[in-house]
Amino acid sequence: MQTSDGAKVLGRVVNAQDIQTVREQLGLRNQMLSPAELVRLVLDESYTQQLPGGVTLRRSFIAGEPRIELVDALSLADRLVAVGCFTEIINWRKRVFVPTGLSAAAVLTAVIGILG
């Protein structure tokens, strides 16, 4: 590939599902993707990320719209709502979501801070 300023770059496309594996193979085990990267990957490529505390970040479709869901986060729902998340009862089950708009990365940053 060649950039607009003429530099040539050799690269490889990595599937979203393989990003964490590649990071670990490069010795980046304890580093997590940035919140902005996570938001983009979850929404655009169905990427799933295990967060601290056993919470899973994933894309869910609700009424045909993609959402960023925090699975197994109900015990922290009040604290998560306080930083910008929202809950919804779907099929008689309460679920926790991160907003998908411009504030998504900032809210996810706060969520990661709560989760440790």
Side-chain angles (χ1 to χ4, degrees):
M1 167 183 348
Q2 188 168 355
T3 64
S4 59
D5 64 351
K8 293 186 180 188
V9 179
L10 178 63
R12 174 172 218 132
V13 175
V14 178
N15 293 325
Q17 295 84 352
D18 299 328
I19 288 176
Q20 197 62 34
T21 301
V22 171
R23 291 175 80 93
E24 288 174 8
Q25 289 174 347
L26 293 173
L28 304 172
R29 281 183 209 278
N30 296 325
Q31 294 185 1
M32 193 168 15
L33 298 169
S34 75
E37 290 172 314
L38 283 172
V39 167
R40 186 189 67 74
L41 288 171
V42 167
L43 289 176
D44 296 345
E45 301 190 33
S46 299
Y47 181 72
T48 300
Q49 174 72 49
Q50 189 71 32
L51 299 175
V55 174
T56 302
L57 182 72
R58 74 170 186 198
R59 180 177 75 179
S60 298
F61 278 93
I62 309 298
E65 295 291 322
R67 294 208 186 157
I68 302 170
E69 185 171 5
L70 295 167
V71 180
D72 296 327
L74 282 180
S75 63
L76 298 168
D78 292 339
R79 290 178 65 195
L80 297 173
V81 167
V83 298
C85 292
F86 64 97
T87 61
E88 196 168 312
I89 297 174
I90 302 169
N91 291 332
W92 297 279
R93 205 174 113 233
K94 190 175 188 178
R95 294 165 69 177
V96 181
F97 300 95
V98 174
T100 57
L102 296 174
S103 65
V107 171
L108 188 53
T109 299
V111 167
I112 292 169
I114 289 172
L115 298 175

